[in-house]
Every structure is written in C-alpha cells, then in structure tokens.
Amino acid sequence: MDAFNRFRIWVLTIFLIFQLGYGFYLPGSYPHKYVVGDFLNVKVNSLTSIDTEMPFSYYSLPFCKPLEGVKDSAENLGELLMGDRIENSPYRFKMYTNESEIYLCKVDALSADQFKLLTKRIDEMYQVNLILDNLPAIRYTQKEGYTLRWTGYPVGVKIKDSYYVFNHLKFKVLVHKYEEANVARVMGTGDAAEVIPTIGKGSDVPGYMVVGFEVIPCSTMHKADLVKNLKMYEKYPSAIKCDPTSVSVPVKEGKPIVFTYEIEFEESDIKWPSRWDAYLKMEGSKVHWFSILNSLMVITFLAGIVLVIFLRTVRRDLTRYEELDKEAQAQMNEELSGWKLVVGDVFRAPTNPALLCIMVGDGVQILGMAVVTILFAALGFMSPASRGTLITGMLFFYMILGIAAGYVAIRLWRTIGGGDSTGWVSVSWRVACFFPGIAFLILTTLNFILWGSHSTGAIPFSLFVILLLLWFCISVPLTLVGGYFGAKAPPIEYPVRTNQIPREIPPQKYPSWLLVLGAGTLPFGTLFIELFFIMSSIWMGRVYYVFGFLFIVLILLVVVCAEVSLVLTYMHLCVEDWKWWWKSFFASGSVAIYIFLYSVNYLVFDLKSLSGPVSATLYLGYSLFMVVAIMLATGTIGFLSSFWFVHYLFSSVKVD
C-alpha cells in the first residue's frame, strides 16, 4: 500500500508540474505568442525532390541571402541523419501586418555554371522548403476538382524550351488569437526563446499564435533598372500581380534575377494543437484506414485458425502419449515415427552456434528498439512536429538495449555450449559489432556517393566521429555489461539428454528450405499494406502519422512470425528432422526477402521518375539496410518462440 501511495504522489507531482508550466503539449513544442508587430523569421530547409532523393542546400542555388549572413539553426542528431539542413532566410514578417511589393534582392547576372545548375534543379523537380514557427510552408493546387496539398514549392518550371524561376512568393499566415491571458508567454522568435509568465503587468496585451503557413509561388516580370537603388525590404516601385497560372520572363545566362514577396495575415478558427491537421490529411486516407483494418481482421482470423489447429494437434499428441502405459509407449515408438523419435537429437548444437547467438542478440536489440520507439511515437512523443526526434529516439533506444542483446546472446551461447562461460567477452564484442558493422559498411558506401554529389544528405565527418563514439563508448560497453550478466546467469537446462551419435535424418519428399523460404509470405501479408505508406513517407515526401496502427501491425507481425515458426518447427520434427535451429530463424526471417522484392517493385512501378543510377543505388542501399534489420528482428521472434516450444514440448513428455 505504501508503494502505491508513493506512486500516486509521484503522478500527482508530475501532473502539477505540467499544469504549472501551462505550455505542455505532447505531440509538439510550446506555443509561441506573438504581439502585433513582432518579427517572424522564416527558415529554409534543404531542397528536396522525389526525382533524385538527394537533398541539397538551399543556398547552393542563386537565391537571396539574409543581411546577417547564413546561419545554421539548432539541429538534433536525427535531423542531420535525415539530410535536413535548416538555415535562416531573408524572409521576415511582422505579426498581423500585411505588406505587399516587398523587394528582397537582385541576384547578380547568372554565370554559365549557375544557369546550368538552376535549370538542372528545375528539370529534377526540386522543391523549396520553408519553415515558419516550426510549420512547413504548404501549397494548395487544384486538379480535376480535387484540392491537393504539397509541402514547399517548386524552384521553377519548364515550359517548352524555356525555364522560369518562381521569383515572387505570396505568403498567407493563419493566426489564432491567444485565448488565455495567464498562460506563459514566449518572448522572442528564436529557438532559444525564453518563457516568462504574463500574470500581472502587460498580460492584457493581445497576442496571436501561428496556426498555418501557406505559399503561392509566381513568376513575374521585374525590371532590373527599378531596383538599382533599392535596399532589402523596401517597397518595389510598381504593383506586382501574382498569377500562379502564368509565367513571365524566362531565366537566361548572363541575366540577373529580382526576388520579391508579399505577406497577408488571416485570423483562423484553427487552434494551436490542431495546426498540423492540414499536413496529416493524406490523399486516399479512407482507403488507408479501411485497408489496414481489413488486413488486421483477415490476418487475425487466419492466425487464430492456425493457432487453434496447431494447439489441438500438439495437445492431442501429448494426451495420447500420457494415457499409454510404458509397454504401449515402447510398442508405439517402434511402430510410429514422429517428433518423439528425435528426443536424443533435438537439442544437439547447430552449425555455427556463435553466429546464431550473435544474430539472435542483435535481433532482440532491433526488435526492442522498434517496439519502444513505435510505442512512444503512438503516444505522441515523436510526432512529425518534432523534426528528427524519431531517428534520435531510435538511436537512443538501440544503444540502451545493447544490454538486452548481450544478455540474450551470451545466455543462449552458454545454453548451447553446455554452460561453459569461457570466451563470453569475444562473443559480446561480436554482438556489439555485427549489425552496426553491416550498417556502417552500407551507410559509408552510400555516404561516399552523396559526398561526391555534394548533397546535404551526406553525413558530415564530424557526425561520423560522433556516431563512432556513440557506438564504441556507449553501445559496446552496454553490450559487454549485458554479456557479463548473461555469463553470470544460469544456462537454460535441457529437459532431455542428447545422444553421442547423431540420428540419421530420413530423406524428405520436398526440400525443407523451400518450405522455410515460402513461410515468409504470411508475415509479409500482415504488413505489406502498411509498408506501402511507410515507403511513401520515406521516398515520396508524405507525412506518416498513424503510429497507433503501426504498433498494432507490429504486434500482429510478432504473433504471426511466432506462429509460422512454431508450425514449421513442429512439421520438421514430425518428419524426424532435428535440425530446426536455423530453419526456425529463417522461417520467419524470410519475410525480409519478400520485403526486398517489394522494394524493387516499388522502385520500378511507383518511383518511375527516379532518375539516374546514383539515385537507384541509394534507394537499393537503404532498402538493403532496412531488410537486414527486419530479417534479424523477425528471425529472432521465430527462433525464440520455437526454442520455447521445443523446450516445453519435450519437458511435457515422460521420456525414459
């Protein structure tokens, strides 16, 4: 009772802290209150395109630069790994102050290299990504009566043989009036803004929160002679008409480009917690929800049937053996073949036992990371509003779960080796370096390709050093700690003795590995619909947010992988094939083969515009990295469930 009371007090204390803060919002960050006239600074992210999948810096193109110079914004590890490079921009607004014909700058006459690069980026359909108060700029277009939503706007457009740059931007900022006068007020416009209470003096000053950021790009004709003496943010001498359906003067080599913009504020009924709704309304969302629900129902029903039939079969066999006396059992053993005949070989050590233990340990680490990360994302701690937190969280949980990887791998290794703990340090080291080593090899190769292309997607050398330090200073020691506890823990005792001479496996009617490879189709059926939306989020720039459904699909995948592996292990034992260790691992792990084939299919049929061998190589490299991780995680589920089943099955039968 005392423990319960202490827990209740802790919960109440945390709740009061959140209430006193008045700014806690689970999926995003604190709301910023701006008074009329406060400056709003727009930031720029990397230029992106679904045509190449290689991000580039915004200032790699001849755009206007801010007066104070280009500065990087605060970035977390996840943002850097995703290729985001958030920087300040020359665009700035005054809260609730409409302005038009604002002169930004005149870019010097385009050199041959600048013109070539600019036209190349237009051909590759690169998008400019702007951010205001953590909201990406959104663009609305009409097509066949439907409203389409896009984040960012194109660098330009090609019509016939001419290239046009969108040199005038029409912004619309949606604001919502601050409703609570006593809520903490955020002073300033930067990321490091200070939160101070507004109770008392000045608390009645009306303020607004940014709840929407829209942009309309236009190509307009500007006369370079009119801006000779103009400075940034001064008014352009003549009226500017922004018509997104028409273009004006094409860009040419040796000609300057003049940039302007206008800003309009509009009060909206959208409240601050709902401001991300516009970004989360994916096209075809009804199909998305229906397909996932349908898939969940079908797979759950199918898995239930397999489980019921399987449990009834095993229980019938156990009951049948238990009801017979010893003489009848001996006679039955002579007459029948089946899983009981391999009792002296079922726990015989597999080939390459150390490699199996290493892969199972890494699989536990990856699976645990996936479950915890998706659970936190489903609870709202890693929403799209918090850029890079998903990747950062994955790295953090992966490193922490090195303890579980070392413990499981070493305890399994001791179990297979008969309890001998010598050499556990070497096995722990290999656990800590097996999957990270594969990931390091793949990502380093891809990084050299990105470096050669001058893409912001390339990991900087300093970040490489940080990742190596995280690997060898945190992940490896934690894995060794887990291995130490695994070496101290008692090994799992086998319920039966293993014969000295291996039993000969009867010839099979069909290749057992063919059945193992085909077993991956059922786990693949649980996730292929969700896989489409995940791939679309990664490669098509769509926002993925249904982490609740993803968590359900993950749990269902774990159940189906376990059941598939159990069924195949039981089938192999029934035909006196006692080499079940590796087959149970790959029975569920073979789903990775189908995911890789699906990735190739997605590349061919959905990413038709992906241009060049470099982009295809990057896509296939990242897909291979993902597939290896999935193979280790799903294979571990199958092996551990089969190991438990075999141990339970033979410990439930009386064997002389």
Side-chain angles (χ1 to χ4, degrees):
M1 184 61 69
D2 292 338
F4 176 75
N5 289 332
R6 284 198 298 268
F7 174 77
R8 192 167 58 180
I9 292 172
W10 271 106
V11 171
L12 182 61
T13 303
I14 294 171
F15 177 75
L16 289 174
I17 290 172
F18 285 156
Q19 286 298 311
L20 291 173
Y22 284 107
F24 178 71
Y25 173 57
L26 193 60
S29 55
Y30 290 96
H32 287 198
K33 175 187 174 182
Y34 300 98
V35 180
V36 175
D38 281 354
F39 279 109
L40 304 177
N41 292 322
V42 178
K43 299 178 182 179
V44 291
N45 204 343
S46 300
L47 305 173
T48 56
S49 171
I50 62 173
D51 191 49
T52 65
E53 302 297 347
M54 288 188 293
F56 290 96
S57 170
Y58 173 82
Y59 293 107
S60 63
L61 294 182
F63 290 136
C64 301
K65 296 182 179 179
L67 293 174
E68 65 274 17
V70 179
K71 299 177 182 178
D72 291 334
S73 293
E75 295 173 332
N76 55 46
L77 190 62
E79 282 182 327
L80 292 171
L81 291 174
M82 290 170 62
D84 289 343
R85 296 294 183 272
I86 300 177
E87 300 164 314
N88 59 334
S89 81
Y91 297 103
R92 67 178 188 181
F93 317 138
K94 292 181 181 178
M95 172 56 76
Y96 226 130
T97 305
N98 296 340
E99 296 179 277
S100 60
E101 289 96 29
I102 304 173
Y103 169 71
L104 202 59
C105 78
K106 182 183 75 171
V107 175
D108 295 334
L110 297 178
S111 65
D113 291 339
Q114 286 178 323
F115 177 76
K116 183 179 179 181
L117 182 62
L118 188 59
T119 55
K120 182 181 179 183
R121 296 290 181 259
I122 294 175
D123 283 333
E124 293 171 339
M125 299 187 296
Y126 269 86
Q127 304 280 321
V128 178
N129 299 292
L130 305 177
I131 303 171
L132 175 65
D133 195 45
N134 200 37
L135 279 181
I138 193 168
R139 178 171 58 98
Y140 294 95
T141 59
Q142 298 290 331
K143 184 177 181 181
E144 298 178 358
Y146 292 96
T147 300
L148 302 179
R149 303 171 182 85
W150 311 85
T151 53
Y153 67 91
V155 172
V157 63
K158 180 182 179 182
I159 299 178
K160 295 182 180 180
D161 294 328
S162 299
Y163 292 88
Y164 300 86
V165 171
F166 292 122
N167 59 344
H168 180 81
L169 300 180
K170 183 178 181 180
F171 295 107
K172 179 190 284 188
V173 178
L174 305 180
V175 295
H176 186 80
K177 198 167 186 178
Y178 217 61
E179 295 175 349
E180 298 181 36
N182 293 332
V183 174
R185 176 183 174 189
V186 176
M187 298 295 292
T189 57
D191 287 338
E194 297 180 356
V195 181
I196 64 172
T198 62
I199 302 174
K201 184 178 179 180
S203 63
D204 56 344
V205 176
Y208 297 90
M209 298 173 292
V210 176
V211 295
F213 183 35
E214 301 174 11
V215 61
I216 299 175
C218 301
S219 173
T220 60
M221 181 186 298
H222 293 311
K223 295 181 180 179
D225 298 337
L226 296 178
V227 298
K228 281 184 178 180
N229 300 320
L230 285 182
K231 295 182 180 180
M232 188 177 287
Y233 307 122
E234 292 185 350
K235 196 174 182 66
Y236 188 75
S238 61
I240 300 174
K241 183 180 179 182
C242 181
D243 184 5
T245 61
S246 63
V247 292
S248 297
V249 182
V251 293
K252 294 181 181 178
E253 182 181 336
K255 296 289 184 180
I257 304 176
V258 177
F259 290 91
T260 56
Y261 70 96
E262 59 184 283
I263 173 65
E264 175 189 358
F265 286 85
E266 181 179 305
E267 196 161 344
S268 172
D269 293 331
I270 300 173
K271 295 187 177 181
W272 193 83
S274 304
R275 66 180 192 158
W276 272 85
D277 289 356
Y279 303 88
L280 303 182
K281 291 177 181 177
M282 300 169 62
E283 281 67 33
S285 58
K286 292 183 180 179
V287 178
H288 175 80
W289 295 98
F290 176 76
S291 298
I292 293 178
L293 285 172
N294 182 60
S295 177
L296 289 174
M297 292 174 63
V298 171
I299 297 301
T300 304
F301 179 70
L302 183 59
I305 292 177
V306 172
L307 185 62
V308 169
I309 295 175
F310 182 55
L311 289 179
R312 287 187 63 184
T313 304
V314 175
R315 183 172 296 177
R316 184 183 61 201
D317 281 355
L318 290 176
T319 305
R320 189 178 180 186
Y321 280 118
E322 289 172 358
E323 289 178 350
L324 296 173
D325 55 20
K326 292 184 178 180
E327 294 182 1
Q329 283 187 23
Q331 183 180 0
M332 192 172 185
N333 286 339
E334 293 177 0
E335 295 177 355
L336 299 178
S337 61
W339 54 267
K340 195 178 181 185
L341 297 182
V342 296
V343 65
D345 299 274
V346 70
F347 289 107
R348 189 176 301 281
T351 56
N352 298 319
L355 179 60
L356 178 63
C357 297
I358 291 167
M359 294 174 71
V360 170
D362 282 335
V364 168
Q365 191 174 7
I366 296 169
L367 180 64
M369 174 205 69
V371 171
V372 176
T373 303
I374 294 174
L375 178 61
F376 272 82
L379 294 175
F381 288 99
M382 299 176 183
S383 74
S386 304
R387 255 177 225 89
T389 54
L390 190 65
I391 303 295
T392 306
M394 290 173 67
L395 280 174
F396 174 77
F397 293 131
Y398 180 82
M399 289 186 296
I400 296 299
L401 287 167
I403 297 177
Y407 178 83
V408 172
I410 297 304
R411 193 172 184 195
L412 179 62
W413 177 70
R414 288 191 63 206
T415 299
I416 296 176
D420 187 11
S421 62
T422 56
W424 69 267
V425 176
S426 174
V427 177
S428 297
W429 262 100
R430 283 182 279 174
V431 171
C433 297
F434 180 73
F435 176 71
I438 295 174
F440 185 80
L441 180 63
I442 295 174
L443 296 180
T444 303
T445 304
L446 299 180
N447 209 53
F448 277 118
I449 296 175
L450 291 169
W451 266 337
S453 302
H454 305 287
S455 170
T456 58
I459 301 175
F461 180 75
S462 58
L463 184 56
F464 243 106
V465 175
I466 292 173
L467 291 175
L468 288 174
L469 289 176
L470 291 175
W471 180 7
F472 287 103
C473 296
I474 298 179
S475 182
V476 171
L478 288 178
T479 307
L480 290 173
V481 169
Y484 171 80
F485 286 114
K488 293 296 182 182
I492 301 171
E493 294 184 2
Y494 294 148
V496 293
R497 294 188 302 270
T498 302
N499 296 334
Q500 292 183 353
I501 302 175
R503 180 186 179 88
E504 184 179 355
I505 300 175
Q508 308 298 322
K509 297 180 180 179
Y510 49 85
S512 59
W513 282 102
L514 186 63
L515 190 61
V516 168
L517 294 177
T521 55
L522 188 58
F524 179 73
T526 66
L527 55 80
F528 81 95
I529 294 177
E530 197 68 21
L531 188 62
F532 170 78
F533 290 96
I534 294 173
M535 300 285 279
S536 298
S537 173
I538 296 173
W539 301 107
M540 302 291 284
R542 298 174 183 173
V543 180
Y544 187 88
Y545 64 97
V546 284
F547 290 104
F549 267 107
L550 183 61
F551 185 74
I552 296 173
V553 171
L554 178 63
I555 298 301
L556 191 56
L557 177 66
V558 170
V559 174
V560 174
C561 285
E563 289 180 348
V564 165
S565 186
L566 289 181
V567 171
L568 258 72
T569 300
Y570 182 69
M571 290 175 62
H572 283 109
L573 294 179
C574 285
V575 294
E576 303 177 39
D577 185 355
W578 46 266
K579 295 182 178 181
W580 59 272
W581 301 79
W582 281 106
K583 291 172 185 175
S584 65
F585 186 92
F586 287 111
S588 54
S590 61
V591 67
I593 298 174
Y594 299 96
I595 293 177
F596 187 75
L597 294 176
Y598 180 84
S599 301
V600 175
N601 174 80
Y602 189 85
L603 172 64
V604 174
F605 294 102
D606 292 277
L607 295 178
K608 297 178 183 178
S609 61
L610 201 64
S611 63
V614 174
S615 300
T617 302
L618 289 171
Y619 174 85
L620 293 174
Y622 287 124
S623 298
L624 181 63
F625 169 69
M626 176 182 68
V627 161
V628 171
I630 292 174
M631 185 268 290
L632 291 174
T634 54
T636 297
I637 297 168
F639 172 78
L640 292 179
S641 58
S642 292
F643 183 85
W644 168 84
F645 166 71
V646 173
H647 190 279
Y648 171 78
L649 180 63
F650 284 89
S651 62
S652 302
V653 179
K654 298 177 182 178
V655 180
D656 293 333

